[in-house]
Amino acid sequence: IMNKIASYLNANLLGEAVSRNDVIATFAQDKSILSVKPEAVIFPRSTEDIRKTASLSFQLASKNKLLPISTCGYRNDFTGGTLSDGILINTSRYLNSVVDFDPDQALIHAQAGTALTDINLIAKEHGLTLPLNATDARHSIGGVISHNLIYPLARHGNLIYQMVDQLEVVLANGTTLQTKRLNKRELSAKIGLPTAEGEVYRKIDALIEENHALISTINPDHVDNAGYANIAKVKTEAGFDLTPLIIGSQGTLGIITEAIIRLDDLLPYKISRLLSFTTLADAMDASDQLLKLKPTILDIFSHKLFQISADQGRIYPDAMTADEKMGGQTAYHLLVQVEAKNKFSLKSLAKKIATIAKQARGVANDNDEVMQMRDLPLMLDFDETIHKSVPIACGASVPRVKWQSFADTIAKLEIAMGLDLPIYGSVLTEVLNLQSSLDLHQIINKQKALKLLNSYSTLVTELGGVICANGGDGRLKSLVAPKQISPELAQLYAEIKAIFDPYGIFAPRVKQHADLRDIAQKITSHYHNDFFA
C-alpha cells in the first residue's frame, strides 16, 4: 500500500516522496534517544504539496486507514516530536525562503523551513535582528515555533510567542488557516465561515466559553508546552488569537507552512563575560544583580561540565583559568552577555559586571570571546566512547528560589544512579537541564534513562516547576507530563486535538498518554546526534 501512496504523491506533488532505505534511516532519528522509521519522507516544494498530502491522509482516515503525518525541519527536538511511523514532511530542504521583508514595520515573512541564521542575515543589513540566538545547531523558524524552543535561543528572556505576528497552517483536511489577533467583529466573521477554518474558530471559541473556569486555572504567565496549556492565551482582553495554541503544539493540530515575525532593533555593541563561583548560592546572588543590567544572555553551567569536556580533550581555557584562581574549588559559572547602543555604556556595564562578581565572592574574566561555551553541551555529543551524551532530563523550568533545593536533590540522585549529572541552563528562562551520558547498547541503561526522566520530572513538579518549558512533551515526555495535570484538563486537551484533527492523523503518538513498553522498545541502541552540529 505504501508504494502505491508514494507513487501517487510523486505523480501529484512538485516535491518528492522518498522511501529509500538510507533516507528512511536518516530520518528515523531526531535529537531524542528514540528511533522510529517513517514509511516515506516528503520534501514539499510548496504549501500546495503539504495540502495534498494532508488531504490524502484525511481521506484515507475517513475510511479507517490511518496514515500518520509528522513534520520536521532540522530535527532538533529531543522528545521524539519529529518522528513518524507514517509520512514525515521535511520543510528545510525546499520551503526555506524569505517571502517578504518590510524593514519599516520590522516584519519578515518566511517559509517554515527557513533557518534562523538566514533570517538574521537579512535583518542585520537593516539594523534589525530576530531576537533569538542562533547556535551552531541549525534551527528552522517553523521548528522553533512548533516546539516553542527557548533555550539556548531566547534573548532577554524573550519568547517566540512575543515575536509571531501571523501564521499560515495547513489543517487536517488539507485546507489552510491564517492565525492573527482578531477583534470581536473579525472573530464573528471567521466563526461565520462555512469552511474547516470557520469550524475551528467556532468550536474553539465555544470550548473556551464552556470551560472558562477550568481554563482560568492555567497560569498564562508560565511557559508550558505540555498538552495545550496555551489555550489560556487564545481569548484575552486584547482579542482572539489562535497563534499561541499552534505554538508548542508540535505539529499535532496543524502544519506550519509560513510565519510573519516581528524583528527588534539591533544594538551594535555587546560584551560577554564568564563569572565563576565556589557555591551555587554565590552564583545566584550574582545573577540577581546581573538581571538588573537586563542581559541578553545569562546562562549557568556546573564546572563539572568543563571537567568532563577536558577529559574528552576539549578544553575551555577561561573556565580552567578561573578554577585555578578559585583554588580548584569552582562549582558554577555564569555566562553573561549585555548589549548597548554606544561604547561608553558598554564600558560602564563591564565595570558593573566585574563589581558584581567581586561582591559575590567570585571572579570575572576579561576575555570577550567566551560565548562559544554555550555550545559545550553540544560539543559533548562528539564523545567517541560507547557512552553518548543523551538529552533526557532537559527542558524543564524551576523557580530560581528553588535552585539550591534542585541542586541538592540532583547530587543525591547522582549517587543513587551512579551517574554524573552536571546542571546547565538559563537564568533568564529558568530552564535547568542535566547533562547525562549512557551506553544505550545495554538494556539496563535504557531502563536507567527512563528512570532518570521520571526522577527529573517528579523533582521539577515538587519544586513548583514546569516539565515542558523548553520544547513540548513529544513522545518521550508524554510518559511523565500527563501525570502533572488533572483529568479535567486532560479531557479539555483531547477535545482541542479532536477539533483540529478529528481522525488523529497529525503526530498521533505526540502529546498523548504514552505507553511505557512502546517507548522502551523505541529507544535506539545506536544513538548519535553529532550530525546536528
Side-chain angles (χ1 to χ4, degrees):
I1 247 182
M2 197 60 224
N3 287 335
K4 289 182 179 180
I5 290 172
S7 297
Y8 171 82
L9 289 171
N10 275 321
N12 288 275
L13 304 183
L14 291 175
E16 301 89 41
V18 182
S19 55
R20 268 179 20 206
N21 288 338
D22 57 337
V23 175
I24 295 299
T26 296
F27 284 87
Q29 282 194 42
D30 55 7
K31 209 170 185 177
S32 73
I33 61 173
L34 305 179
S35 179
V36 180
K37 287 185 177 181
E39 294 283 349
V41 181
I42 308 292
F43 299 102
R45 290 179 181 266
S46 65
T47 296
E48 187 63 22
D49 280 356
I50 295 177
R51 292 182 60 186
K52 287 179 179 179
T53 305
S55 177
L56 173 63
S57 180
F58 190 84
Q59 291 175 42
L60 288 172
S62 68
K63 299 174 183 177
N64 295 318
K65 297 176 182 178
L66 182 63
L67 179 65
I69 298 178
S70 294
T71 320
C72 70
Y74 291 102
R75 311 192 324 279
N76 282 298
D77 182 59
F78 52 87
T79 67
T82 58
L83 301 176
S84 176
D85 51 8
I87 286 177
L88 184 61
I89 295 177
N90 174 259
T91 59
S92 63
R93 185 169 185 177
Y94 297 127
L95 299 182
N96 55 16
S97 300
V98 170
V99 179
D100 195 13
F101 177 44
D102 186 343
D104 294 330
Q105 294 191 63
L107 292 173
I108 194 163
H109 182 179
Q111 292 177 308
T114 309
L116 301 186
T117 46
D118 294 339
I119 292 174
N120 261 324
L121 281 174
I122 296 172
K124 187 178 181 180
E125 293 178 359
H126 297 267
L128 297 168
T129 183
L130 174 66
L132 292 171
N133 289 298
T135 63
D136 277 358
R138 286 176 71 79
H139 292 271
S140 66
I141 187 64
V144 172
I145 295 169
S146 180
H147 300 282
N148 198 13
L149 299 174
I150 60 175
Y151 175 80
L153 302 173
R155 294 157 53 91
H156 300 292
N158 287 345
L159 306 174
I160 192 67
Y161 162 68
Q162 298 156 328
M163 304 167 206
V164 178
D165 186 68
Q166 296 181 41
L167 293 175
E168 179 184 82
V169 181
V170 172
L171 297 176
N173 71 343
T175 60
T176 56
L177 177 151
Q178 278 75 37
T179 75
K180 66 175 184 177
R181 184 176 294 171
L182 306 174
N183 58 33
K184 289 182 179 179
R185 180 180 58 81
E186 292 169 327
L187 176 60
S188 294
K190 287 285 188 184
I191 288 174
L193 292 173
T195 60
E197 179 183 15
E199 186 175 359
V200 166
Y201 274 102
R202 194 159 49 249
K203 288 185 175 180
I204 290 295
D205 183 55
L207 190 73
I208 291 172
E209 291 301 315
E210 293 166 5
N211 295 274
H212 177 76
L214 178 60
I215 293 172
S216 66
T217 64
I218 303 172
N219 187 341
D221 296 325
H222 276 176
V223 182
D224 190 353
N225 299 307
Y228 304 106
N230 278 343
I231 187 69
K233 298 187 177 91
V234 171
K235 194 169 189 177
T236 66
E237 292 181 359
F240 187 99
D241 192 352
L242 288 176
T243 303
L245 197 53
I246 301 300
I247 294 173
S249 64
Q250 296 187 289
T252 60
L253 302 181
I255 299 172
I256 298 170
T257 53
E258 295 181 9
I260 298 178
I261 307 295
R262 304 182 192 96
L263 303 173
D264 269 1
D265 291 331
L266 177 65
L267 296 180
Y269 300 100
K270 59 186 176 184
I271 57 168
S272 306
R273 293 290 186 266
L274 183 73
L275 284 61
S276 307
F277 305 90
T278 58
T279 68
L280 177 58
D282 287 345
M284 296 309 296
D285 287 343
S287 69
D288 289 341
Q289 298 305 312
L290 289 168
L291 286 171
K292 296 176 183 178
L293 304 182
K294 297 182 178 179
T296 306
I297 295 168
L298 184 54
D299 291 349
I300 187 166
F301 294 91
S302 166
H303 183 65
K304 194 182 295 183
L305 270 168
F306 294 95
Q307 293 172 324
I308 294 172
S309 178
D311 290 341
Q312 295 179 16
R314 173 74 175 185
I315 297 174
Y316 292 83
D318 293 295
M320 294 308 175
T321 300
D323 189 42
E324 290 176 11
K325 291 180 180 178
M326 306 292 283
Q329 299 299 310
T330 306
Y332 286 91
H333 302 272
L334 292 176
L335 192 59
V336 59
Q337 184 182 84
V338 290
E339 295 179 343
K341 293 181 179 179
N342 55 65
K343 289 183 178 179
F344 177 79
S345 297
L346 210 58
K347 287 181 179 179
S348 174
L349 287 168
K351 289 180 180 178
K352 289 179 180 178
I353 291 172
T355 300
I356 288 171
K358 186 176 181 180
Q359 290 176 342
R361 296 178 292 280
V363 297
N365 80 319
D366 56 4
N367 178 14
D368 199 38
E369 302 297 323
V370 292
M371 273 297 124
Q372 61 175 320
M373 292 183 185
R374 298 196 91 207
D375 299 321
L376 173 57
L378 187 71
M379 293 306 302
L380 294 178
D381 293 338
F382 289 91
D383 185 358
E384 295 182 1
T385 69
I386 57 173
H387 286 77
K388 298 297 180 185
S389 170
V390 286
I392 301 167
C394 299
S397 69
V398 179
R400 282 189 298 118
V401 294
K402 300 291 183 68
W403 279 20
Q404 187 64 62
S405 297
F406 180 86
D408 292 343
T409 305
I410 293 302
K412 296 175 183 176
L413 185 63
E414 286 182 308
I415 297 171
M417 297 193 70
L419 293 174
D420 284 327
L421 300 171
I423 297 167
Y424 69 96
S426 166
V427 177
L428 293 178
T429 57
E430 298 189 332
V431 167
L432 288 182
N433 309 293
L434 302 181
Q435 179 70 29
S436 53
S437 294
L438 289 167
D439 172 14
L440 292 178
H441 290 89
Q442 300 182 21
I443 293 177
I444 190 171
N445 283 339
K446 293 181 180 182
Q447 295 170 342
K448 189 175 286 188
L450 295 176
K451 182 179 178 181
L452 174 59
L453 173 64
N454 189 64
S455 297
Y456 173 73
S457 169
T458 301
L459 175 58
V460 168
T461 304
E462 288 175 351
L463 295 177
V466 176
I467 187 64
C468 296
N470 179 42
D473 19 17
R475 290 172 179 252
L476 195 58
K477 284 191 177 180
S478 291
L479 286 171
V480 292
K483 300 175 184 177
Q484 321 303 335
I485 62 173
S486 67
E488 292 78 16
L489 268 181
Q491 177 59 32
L492 177 69
Y493 295 164
E495 290 176 24
I496 293 170
K497 169 70 172 174
I499 289 171
F500 278 88
D501 184 16
Y503 293 122
I505 64 175
F506 284 151
R509 303 276 183 186
V510 175
K511 288 185 176 293
Q512 304 292 315
H513 290 276
D515 178 73
L516 179 59
R517 185 185 297 274
D518 178 62
I519 293 295
Q521 290 174 345
K522 287 180 170 57
I523 297 178
T524 178
S525 299
H526 304 284
Y527 175 81
H528 66 108
N529 63 17
D530 48 19
F531 56 85
F532 292 94

